Amino acid sequence: MFDGYDSCSEDTSSSSSSEESEEEVAPLPSNLPIIKNNGQVYTYPDGKSGMATCEMCGMVGVRDAFYSKTKRFCSVSCSRSYSSNSKKASILARLQGKPPTKKAKVLQKQPLVAKLAAYAQYQATLQNQAKTKAAAVSMEGFSWGNYINSNSFTAAPVTCFKHAPMGTCWGDISENVRVEVPNTDCSLPTKVFWIAGIVKLAGYNALLRYEGFENDPGLDFWCNVCGSDIHPVGWCAASGKPLVPPRTIQHKYTNWKAFLVKRLTGAKTLPPDFSQKVSESMQYPFKPCMRVEVVDKRHLCRTRVAVVESVIGGRLRLVYEESEDRTDDFWCHMHSPLIHHIGWSRSIGHRFKRSDITKKQDGHFDTPPHLFAKVKEVDQSGEWFKEGMKLEAIDPLNLSTICVATIRKVLADGFLMIGIDGSEAADGSDWFCYHATSPSIFPVGFCEINMIELTPPRGYTKLPFKWFDYLRETGSIAAPVKLFNKDVPNHGFRVGMKLEAVDLMEPRLICVATVTRIIHRLLRIHFDGWEEEYDQWVDCESPDLYPVGWCQLTGYQLQPPASQSSRESQSGSSKQKKKAKSQQYKGHKKMTTLQLKEELIDGEDYNFLQGASDQESNGSASFYIKQEP
């Protein structure tokens, strides 16, 4: 048990002197206990006995085991490395107009190219620091931890997102799991650690409390569980890092070893290979310069060739191949149903815009077909969808609505071209492609049964809208209910859960969002701070939904909740674009389920639909199970 929180090694090998300046190591604070491998707790009443910190690597250890006369280094290699680095630092000092140290005088005979190289490295370091600072400032106004704490929100668990890092191997990470994290309540000049317990989980983020604080939340802090500063208990022992109790509570116990033994006995911690699993789950097969076929964002009815420009957390920035300035781009996840391998469009009969580029550009290559998301195989030989059949579908140009729609063309491999009734262009340029198993298409009557507002065809005057009358007037038939996707996974989402979600109308943006409604596998996503007209219907397994903390983990920019002023200034053209659709009459929900059953569908199909009507709260897999008479 004690091995779980050993700190650093007490190597007592012979010491060696090293060339060093006359400055002494800064004295460490007095009476601060540090847990060592032999189980004793050392204190150091002065700066020249007890513990010392290596000035090269930051290692904390027993002072008598350190090297050089002034005990400044933990090993010969650190002593020599420090001497070498001091020479490089002197070059920078000279270039900045500062007088060189005594140790730097030997560099006066070095060629100018070496000095320039050192200075270039120095400038690059400054630039990286500036970028890191700028990224921190951009999110300074929003903190997931404060947002959740101040409003008592709940976040969707990582296990709800199978496509996200660790989504399939999150394991038993839960409250009361113990971890080793940096101790920020400490005045030591080097980085030290202490054990903390998880108080609350919110996606990847955990609210942690240092051991010894009991019920005192005074120093609680949020940390990304998949970050580089969180480790399983025992990591410090294996890495030679010291465990130091926080300064605020160091007076509470005289025997910290006994305290930790008691607290950690029987406690859970992260798996020892947790960081390796995190790293592996963040390796993505898509690489820059890969070519794909992707939907044409200006003409949804066709696809175009695009090239992967960058990959962030599995999200792809695709640049259309004909874009000379590389600004005509499209963002989507690598598992998105909107991207396909080269040749996909021809193989199923989908429209395709041929590129004016006659040959591949240097370095570009076709993405292997096996990397794309697989669709479920279907049997089209028997009863199948036919052109002209009616259904209900999420409008890809206004994702807050489910509309009356028509199958316009049946493609190969189960794909369908669908148009929104009353809004179609004469040339079919606004048709869109859904697979027969897509969770974005529904049988006639789905909205009525589940009390969702159905958007009737634009210009349709016989209101309230009734499917039976509409089918009779148009001479159409409804697509058979049994052909639609019947699978409803036990997804784990609940109403009110927080998450990070792509704004699919502006897919480069990922925003703070909330699940406001659940209809089986269909989620209503609300973007915090925005009006409900910007809500979007999204499938529970959509790769455009992410756990809280995903943006921080992957380095993607998160859009915080919009304030009133930002809503007015940022909505711009997208709001005007949606205004035209929002002005159309969406109909009233006046037809009863009994009328729908009698007028439109037979009893078996009605049971198929109605079996889903009361599952909003739990996402149960009982939806679409045929009820026996």
Side-chain angles (χ1 to χ4, degrees), residues 15 40 116 144 167 177 306 337 415 506:
S15 61
Q40 300 179 19
L116 293 176
W144 262 121
V177 165
F415 289 94
E506 189 64 46

Side-chain angles (χ1 to χ4, degrees), residues 536-553:
Q536 296 177 0
W537 288 109
V538 181
D539 182 60
C540 65
E541 295 183 342
S542 168
D544 296 308
L545 303 178
Y546 304 98
V548 165
W550 181 89
C551 284
Q552 178 189 3
L553 177 64

Side-chain angles (χ1 to χ4, degrees), residues 293 302-305 340-355 409 411-413 415:
E293 288 185 8
R302 68 186 185 189
T303 58
R304 296 172 61 183
V305 173
H340 310 275
H341 62 85
I342 299 296
W344 172 84
S345 297
R346 174 181 292 182
S347 68
I348 70 163
H350 193 283
R351 291 189 191 178
F352 176 75
K353 181 186 178 183
R354 297 188 180 278
S355 174
K409 188 176 182 181
L411 308 179
D413 296 341
F415 289 94

Side-chain angles (χ1 to χ4, degrees), residues 357-579:
I357 301 175
T358 56
K359 61 179 181 180
K360 299 178 188 176
Q361 298 182 15
D362 292 342
H364 294 177
F365 58 99
D366 295 351
T367 305
H370 71 272
L371 297 184
F372 295 87
K374 301 295 186 296
V375 293
K376 185 178 180 180
E377 293 186 3
V378 294
D379 181 11
Q380 298 182 224
S381 60
E383 186 177 10
W384 192 242
F385 294 100
K386 294 181 174 61
E387 291 184 17
M389 283 183 172
K390 300 294 182 181
L391 69 165
E392 299 174 3
I394 296 175
D395 183 353
L397 295 178
N398 187 0
L399 295 166
S400 65
T401 63
I402 299 179
C403 305
V404 173
T406 304
I407 297 174
R408 294 303 180 187
K409 188 176 182 181
V410 178
L411 308 179
D413 296 341
F415 289 94
L416 310 169
M417 295 302 295
I418 296 173
I420 300 297
D421 285 23
S423 303
E424 297 177 67
D427 59 355
S429 60
D430 55 356
W431 295 354
F432 48 93
C433 184
Y434 278 145
H435 192 264
T437 61
S438 170
S440 297
I441 58 174
F442 316 96
V444 163
F446 176 85
C447 286
E448 180 72 21
I449 292 295
N450 294 286
M451 295 181 290
I452 300 174
E453 193 170 35
L454 176 67
T455 302
R458 181 180 298 177
Y460 187 74
T461 58
K462 192 175 180 180
L463 302 173
F465 178 84
K466 292 185 177 181
W467 263 116
F468 181 79
D469 293 340
Y470 185 69
L471 292 176
R472 183 176 56 190
E473 292 166 6
T474 57
S476 306
I477 62 172
V481 175
K482 62 183 179 181
L483 298 181
F484 291 84
N485 185 1
K486 303 175 180 63
D487 298 331
V488 180
N490 186 17
H491 47 68
F493 286 103
R494 300 291 182 269
V495 171
M497 282 183 170
K498 297 293 179 181
L499 68 163
E500 298 176 3
V502 175
D503 178 357
L504 294 171
M505 303 308 295
E506 189 64 46
R508 65 183 177 84
L509 302 180
I510 296 183
C511 311
V512 173
T514 307
V515 178
T516 57
R517 195 174 179 193
I518 302 175
I519 307 293
H520 324 301
R521 65 179 301 145
L522 194 62
L523 310 180
R524 180 81 170 181
I525 301 299
H526 173 73
F527 298 105
D528 290 19
W530 292 88
E531 294 86 354
E532 290 185 2
E533 66 177 295
Y534 295 100
D535 290 1
Q536 296 177 0
W537 288 109
V538 181
D539 182 60
C540 65
E541 295 183 342
S542 168
D544 296 308
L545 303 178
Y546 304 98
V548 165
W550 181 89
C551 284
Q552 178 189 3
L553 177 64
T554 61
Y556 204 96
Q557 184 175 358
L558 176 67
Q559 305 298 314
S563 61
Q564 179 64 33
S565 58
S566 64
R567 285 198 301 268
E568 294 173 354
S569 62
Q570 293 178 11
S571 57
S573 60
S574 62
K575 191 168 184 178
Q576 295 297 325
K577 196 180 297 181
K578 298 185 73 172
K579 187 176 181 181

Side-chain angles (χ1 to χ4, degrees), residues 243-387:
L243 283 171
V244 179
R247 179 173 50 185
T248 304
I249 59 170
Q250 63 178 338
H251 63 280
K252 290 183 65 175
Y253 302 95
T254 56
N255 189 340
W256 283 97
K257 174 189 174 183
F259 167 80
L260 288 182
V261 168
K262 182 178 179 180
R263 291 289 296 173
L264 299 180
T265 299
K268 292 182 179 180
T269 188
L270 301 178
D273 60 345
F274 184 76
S275 61
Q276 180 181 347
K277 287 183 177 179
V278 171
S279 178
E280 291 174 352
S281 68
M282 295 182 69
Q283 301 299 314
Y284 307 104
F286 281 78
K287 306 297 180 185
C289 297
M290 284 184 170
R291 300 171 75 240
V292 301
E293 288 185 8
V294 63
V295 64
D296 186 339
K297 63 183 181 181
R298 293 182 180 83
H299 300 278
L300 300 184
C301 66
R302 68 186 185 189
T303 58
R304 296 172 61 183
V305 173
V307 179
V308 178
E309 180 75 10
S310 59
V311 183
I312 303 178
R315 300 200 77 227
L316 312 177
R317 178 178 179 257
L318 302 172
V319 175
Y320 290 113
E321 197 169 48
E322 294 176 306
S323 175
E324 295 181 358
D325 59 0
R326 309 196 68 75
T327 58
D328 189 8
D329 61 359
F330 184 81
W331 280 91
C332 67
H333 193 271
M334 63 182 184
H335 293 154
S336 170
L338 300 177
I339 60 172
H340 310 275
H341 62 85
I342 299 296
W344 172 84
S345 297
R346 174 181 292 182
S347 68
I348 70 163
H350 193 283
R351 291 189 191 178
F352 176 75
K353 181 186 178 183
R354 297 188 180 278
S355 174
D356 293 336
I357 301 175
T358 56
K359 61 179 181 180
K360 299 178 188 176
Q361 298 182 15
D362 292 342
H364 294 177
F365 58 99
D366 295 351
T367 305
H370 71 272
L371 297 184
F372 295 87
K374 301 295 186 296
V375 293
K376 185 178 180 180
E377 293 186 3
V378 294
D379 181 11
Q380 298 182 224
S381 60
E383 186 177 10
W384 192 242
F385 294 100
K386 294 181 174 61
E387 291 184 17

